[in-house]
Amino acid sequence: MANAQSIGVCYGSNGNNLPPKADVVKLYQSNGITAMRIYGPDSAALTALKGTNIKLIMDVPNSDLASLASSSSAAASWVNKNVQAYYPSVSFRYIAVGNEVSGGDTSKILPAMKNIYSVLLSAGLQNAIKVSTAVSTAVVGISYPPSKGAFSSSASSYMTSIVQYLAQIGAPLLANVYPYFSYVGNPGSISLDYALFTSPGTVVTDGSYKYQNLFDAIVDALYSAMEKVGGSNVGIVISESGWPSGGGNAATMSNAQKYNQNLINHVGKGTPKKSTPLETYIFAMFNENQKPAGIEQNWGLFYPSKQPVYSISFK
């Protein structure tokens, strides 16, 4: 069960100067980081994770969706090669079938999820390893106030069946939640304090719910959207959240440190709508120099040298 300490860090590897995988895993351990997300199967990372008890979200890359959606034998061989070959010495927690999938590929998410689930089911692993997909909060068309949260008409066409399937198999939805982008897109009506968890009091009142930070409001809008399509029992795992420390508006080390430390301290309490602790993965472990210049290169908690960008406590 998730608790206040269920804090992971996303391990992106779009850099040509990053430490060896085994060193990265040691860095997680020495900082008390108990969970990791990787964006596709990586044999060196998986080998380094063996026996560490670090909980893992592993993505099915979007480029694999078509083959896994159309072929149950492709799904079986994917799970066999990338999951069963390392289980149980690697603590797989979720398979994220696609990350922020868009356009025509959205129709492939659910068939691929079903094919992967049936492989896990036949191996008796369906309770140990949950199957889901990671979505951006852009799937929510109406987000204010949070109780009125609803999927956009374009997202509703595929999210409704995905949410109902998650309800059926007892798995949470994975969501990438970024107050930073809401704030920089609308600084006139969103205060920086509200985005950084530093507001001294209630900012938004929605019926009996009081919101002191934007993160809770975004998450509760997503809960409301799921309720409206039959997902009132579907949980949420925050598969990415973070704040950039350079390269753009409000992207400072001080703001990034505040946001991420406050996020860690906050998610154990859940949200006004659901007091269940939120398992949360911070984006990202390292600054990645092969991403586009600007904020994209500045989400890391650590430099490639393994030195911290700013101080964060996971304890």
Side-chain angles (χ1 to χ4, degrees), residues 229-248:
V229 297
S232 54
N233 296 328
V234 178
I236 291 174
V237 167
I238 308 301
S239 44
E240 287 180 10
S241 191
W243 196 282
S245 62

Side-chain angles (χ1 to χ4, degrees), residues 116 167 238 262 281:
I116 288 188
I238 308 301
N262 288 337
Y281 292 75

Side-chain angles (χ1 to χ4, degrees), residues 30 62 67 106 115 195 204 209 269 279 281 285-286 297 314:
S30 63
N62 294 359
S67 71
T106 53
N115 281 342
V204 169
Y209 300 130
K269 306 179 185 82
E279 188 176 339
Y281 292 75
M285 193 65 174
F286 298 106
Q297 295 188 0
F314 292 90

Side-chain angles (χ1 to χ4, degrees), residues 50-122:
K50 283 182 175 180
T52 61
N53 207 28
I54 290 173
K55 307 283 184 288
L56 187 67
I57 298 180
M58 183 168 72
D59 285 27
V60 170
N62 294 359
S63 53
D64 288 353
L65 284 181
S67 71
L68 299 184
S70 59
S71 156
S72 53
S73 67
S77 97
W78 192 94
V79 171
N80 184 276
K81 178 183 172 198
N82 301 311
V83 180
Q84 286 167 291
Y86 300 94
Y87 183 84
S89 54
V90 171
S91 303
F92 293 99
R93 199 163 165 78
Y94 306 103
I95 305 293
V97 181
N99 182 46
E100 299 190 359
V101 180
S102 58
D105 285 342
T106 53
S107 65
K108 303 185 177 97
I109 304 169
L110 187 56
M113 284 172 64
K114 286 180 170 171
N115 281 342
I116 288 188
Y117 179 80
S118 69
V119 180
L120 293 172
L121 182 65
S122 61

